[in-house]
Amino acid sequence: MRNLFVITIFFFSLVGNTQAQIVDKKNLIEKNAELKKIEGGFSFTEGPAVSRLGDVYFTDQPNNRIMKWSFFTGKTEVFMENAGRSNGMFFDKEGNLIACADMDNQIWSIDEEGNKTILIESYQGKKLNGPNDLFITPTGEMYITDPLYVRDYWTRSLESQQNGEHLYFLSSNRLQFIRVDEKLERPNGIIGTPDGKTLYVADAGAKKIFKYDIIEDGYLSNKEVYLERGSDGMTIDFRGNLYLTGEDGVKVYNKKAEEVAHIPVPEKWTSNVTFAGPDRKTLFITATEGVYQIRMKVYGTH
């Protein structure tokens, strides 16, 4: 039967000679596609964000820089040094790169020349824990996760100034900055549907992924557990399949929270994932020391 169709692709791990297996139960991956390493030698890659042209900007956080990968040339280059130890990133509708710059626990807007504007630097006069990841809706509203991962480069007090690790909302006019969920243990990865109606948040502390309805003025309702597992960064395709990362490559779950694909990655950790290229059919994966790509049949929405 078609719904039991499984494509299995073999490739040799770049670490040792162990054989890994790509499992694709719903025909999401292009036929005969292979996972390809784009470049290695980084300290820890994170925060891939796709531009309008399909290029990907990602962070090499320990080296405090933002890199740019060109889809057309296949080459990477440094886009920005002294990048505020940026972590998660996302492009807004004006083409600015919005970054979780946790050196000073801020949210930055970076233009195409690399000039930064600080959008958020505190909540009610107190520093955030360390913004980790964000999602921007089609109408420009922003959702931001703020876990506390103590950094060895902080010179301030390592104690949290907030009363917990929360999920925040920033309005499109940048005037309203509020908490929208104060009952998470350690919010981390975040992504929303392209219609701006549904939000997914990975709670690394609870090892759960929560699903919300986005309602008027950015508030959230109908919170429910989507999946009993955690994730680092996440993305979504046009079918509504969710792509999760962590210690076992990239795993894909459908709207019913059923696992439908698994893409092993020869690194200790996969941190984040996005869809790249003008057609948004190249899955771009950030991992511990390298970045990878694989061609898909489905396309992404961000």
Side-chain angles (χ1 to χ4, degrees):
M1 297 175 63
R2 182 173 296 178
N3 63 348
L4 296 178
F5 178 71
V6 177
I7 297 176
T8 303
I9 305 170
F10 293 95
F11 68 94
F12 285 95
S13 170
L14 299 180
V15 180
N17 292 320
T18 57
Q19 198 173 54
Q21 196 178 63
I22 294 177
V23 177
D24 180 10
K25 298 178 181 179
K26 294 295 182 180
N27 203 17
L28 306 178
I29 301 169
E30 190 174 273
K31 186 177 181 180
N32 299 323
E34 296 182 357
L35 182 72
K36 297 179 181 179
K37 188 172 186 177
I38 296 170
E39 189 170 337
F42 301 106
S43 294
F44 190 84
T45 61
E46 247 287 11
V50 60
S51 72
R52 291 172 181 169
L53 297 177
D55 300 328
V56 177
Y57 293 67
F58 64 95
T59 65
D60 184 13
Q61 194 189 37
N63 291 318
N64 198 17
R65 59 185 182 172
I66 296 173
M67 308 296 297
K68 176 186 176 182
W69 171 70
S70 170
F71 174 82
F72 297 100
T73 67
K75 297 180 180 180
T76 61
E77 62 182 359
V78 176
F79 168 69
M80 184 180 187
E81 302 275 12
N82 300 315
R85 301 283 185 168
S86 290
N87 197 330
M89 303 190 296
F90 208 99
F91 276 95
D92 68 15
K93 59 183 179 180
E94 286 79 31
N96 299 305
L97 184 61
I98 310 300
C100 294
D102 80 357
M103 171 71 85
D104 293 307
N105 304 348
Q106 299 168 336
I107 300 295
W108 288 5
S109 175
I110 306 168
D111 67 19
E112 60 184 10
E113 281 82 38
N115 302 306
K116 78 172 191 286
T117 301
I118 298 173
L119 299 181
I120 296 294
E121 55 184 345
S122 65
Y123 175 75
Q124 295 185 345
K126 298 178 181 179
K127 277 191 173 291
L128 296 169
N129 296 315
N132 183 275
D133 208 351
L134 73 154
F135 166 70
I136 303 176
T137 71
T139 51
E141 289 86 9
M142 191 181 305
Y143 293 90
I144 302 161
T145 59
D146 186 44
L148 180 63
Y149 293 109
V150 174
R151 308 299 191 181
D152 59 10
Y153 45 77
W154 285 347
T155 56
R156 65 172 179 84
S157 170
L158 302 183
E159 298 295 324
S160 174
Q161 295 184 23
Q162 300 297 328
N163 65 353
E165 304 176 38
H166 307 304
L167 176 65
Y168 291 82
F169 167 82
L170 179 62
S171 62
S172 58
N173 61 11
R174 308 298 185 245
L175 297 178
Q176 184 184 31
F177 185 52
I178 60 174
R179 290 176 180 167
V180 285
D181 193 341
E182 296 181 322
K183 296 182 179 180
L184 297 167
E185 293 184 32
R186 178 158 287 177
N188 193 315
I190 186 169
I191 197 68
T193 54
D195 59 8
K197 294 181 178 180
T198 305
L199 187 72
Y200 295 91
V201 176
D203 188 333
K207 293 183 172 57
K208 290 179 172 61
I209 295 175
F210 292 101
K211 179 182 178 182
Y212 307 79
D213 290 338
I214 299 174
I215 56 177
E216 190 176 359
D217 296 326
Y219 287 93
L220 304 174
S221 68
N222 298 325
K223 178 181 178 181
E224 63 181 62
V225 175
Y226 163 76
L227 196 62
E228 295 277 357
R229 63 152 285 177
S231 181
D232 202 337
M234 305 187 291
T235 196
I236 195 167
D237 67 27
F238 80 101
R239 294 182 185 173
N241 297 308
L242 206 61
Y243 294 65
L244 308 183
T245 58
E247 61 185 1
D248 195 16
V250 176
K251 289 196 172 184
V252 187
Y253 294 81
N254 64 16
K255 292 180 179 179
K256 297 180 180 179
E258 300 165 334
E259 185 178 326
V260 295
H262 177 211
I263 304 170
V265 178
E267 302 263 358
K268 294 179 180 178
W269 188 260
T270 51
S271 60
N272 217 323
V273 62
T274 194
F275 282 88
D279 60 0
R280 300 297 192 269
K281 285 188 175 182
T282 295
L283 194 67
F284 184 100
I285 304 164
T286 54
T288 309
E289 297 178 355
V291 289
Y292 297 78
Q293 64 171 312
I294 188 169
R295 286 293 291 175
M296 307 293 291
K297 282 189 174 180
V298 293
Y299 59 86
T301 57
H302 303 298

